[in-house]
Amino acid sequence: EIVLTQSPDFQSVTPKEKVTITCRASQSIGSSLHWYQQKPDQSPKLLIKYASQSFSGVPSRFSGSGSGTDFTLTINSLEAEDAATYYCHQSSSLPYTFGQGTKLEIK
Amino acid sequence: EVQLLESGGGLVQPGGSLRLSCAASGFTFSSYAMSWVRQAPGKGLEWVSVISGSGGSTYYADSVKGRFTISRDNSKNTLYLQMNSLRAEDTAVYYCAKKMGIAVAGTGDYWGQGTLVTVSS
């Protein structure tokens, strides 16, 4: 099973700040890495597919990069509505797995 | 508009069974693989199972293999998860998700609102 490790687990940030969340895979997964945003009491929403492809309707301040084992989700100019937990997810190898999540708090 | 509506959750005793349903609309159901993902209270996301668009390919997490069965009825645009021999650790919100293609690869682009399963005596 491929283990995804996100860092940090928690981050408190101010509006307009740039945020970087990383996801490291226990073995190479190519570009089969996806990012989700989950707000409290809501279902997850897809932000980035295949490491760097923005999903339809996602604000341009969200971007993704990386390949192999190291991946990054970047949020430029953070907005208050971005307070959420962010998860990475790999679909390279069954069983598919998720990272443990990164909770963003807006100061 | 893609819509996914889960149902069938509830309180069940350990060792019991439950069948979850996910009614889909807004897309050609048989053209897309579907998956189930769960989230225990206050915890992260856990992938549970996936089924291809035809229903011919199914895969499971080790934690549910042999106890859970994923299936679909393409004539009814509905996805199912039959859960047997339920344990306390199966307590979670269960989400269904539409995959991006007919095969099981790839990720889920749209998710339902979830249905809560509580396993407790």
Side-chain angles (χ1 to χ4, degrees):
Chain A
E1 173 176 313
I2 294 175
V3 176
L4 298 179
T5 304
Q6 292 181 228
S7 62
D9 291 332
F10 176 85
Q11 191 168 5
S12 183
V13 293
T14 56
K16 298 187 179 180
E17 195 174 331
K18 178 180 176 179
V19 173
T20 299
I21 299 170
T22 64
C23 178
R24 176 162 290 177
S26 59
Q27 63 190 77
S28 179
I29 57 173
S31 296
S32 297
L33 190 285
H34 321 282
W35 291 97
Y36 288 91
Q37 176 193 64
Q38 186 180 31
K39 296 181 180 180
D41 298 319
Q42 294 187 17
S43 58
K45 290 181 170 50
L46 181 64
L47 295 175
I48 303 291
K49 57 187 174 80
Y50 294 106
S52 61
Q53 299 175 22
S54 294
F55 185 59
S56 174
V58 173
S60 59
R61 63 182 179 274
F62 292 93
S63 63
S65 64
S67 66
T69 60
D70 293 299
F71 301 85
T72 300
L73 173 70
T74 300
I75 311 174
N76 283 301
S77 193
L78 193 79
E79 297 190 6
E81 66 182 28
D82 299 333
T85 300
Y86 294 83
Y87 295 93
C88 59
H89 170 54
Q90 68 83 18
S91 63
S92 172
S93 174
L94 287 158
Y96 298 149
T97 49
F98 288 88
Q100 81 276 15
T102 294
K103 185 174 183 178
L104 278 188
E105 173 191 86
I106 311 299
K107 292 177 183 174
Chain B
E1 178 191 4
V2 172
Q3 292 195 355
L4 299 168
L5 185 61
E6 301 95 336
S7 61
L11 176 64
V12 61
Q13 292 187 339
S17 298
L18 213 54
R19 188 177 82 156
L20 306 183
S21 299
C22 171
S25 62
F27 63 100
T28 305
F29 185 67
S30 60
S31 295
Y32 295 91
M34 298 290 294
S35 63
W36 288 98
V37 176
R38 68 185 181 182
Q39 186 170 35
K43 302 298 184 182
L45 301 171
E46 181 187 11
W47 178 82
V48 173
S49 183
V50 64
I51 186 169
S52 62
S54 67
S57 297
T58 58
Y59 300 91
Y60 301 90
D62 287 344
S63 58
V64 307
K65 198 174 295 182
R67 300 188 299 122
F68 289 12
T69 302
I70 191 172
S71 63
R72 63 191 297 159
D73 186 336
N74 286 345
S75 69
K76 295 182 178 180
N77 289 350
T78 303
L79 174 72
Y80 302 101
L81 186 67
Q82 177 66 44
M83 303 186 296
N84 299 330
S85 302
L86 283 161
R87 306 166 180 166
E89 54 264 37
D90 295 319
T91 294
V93 173
Y94 284 74
Y95 297 101
C96 66
K98 167 188 167 292
K99 302 283 278 186
M100 303 194 76
I102 197 167
V104 300
T107 193
D109 51 3
Y110 293 96
W111 296 48
Q113 87 293 342
T115 187
L116 176 63
V117 172
T118 303
V119 184
S120 175
S121 54

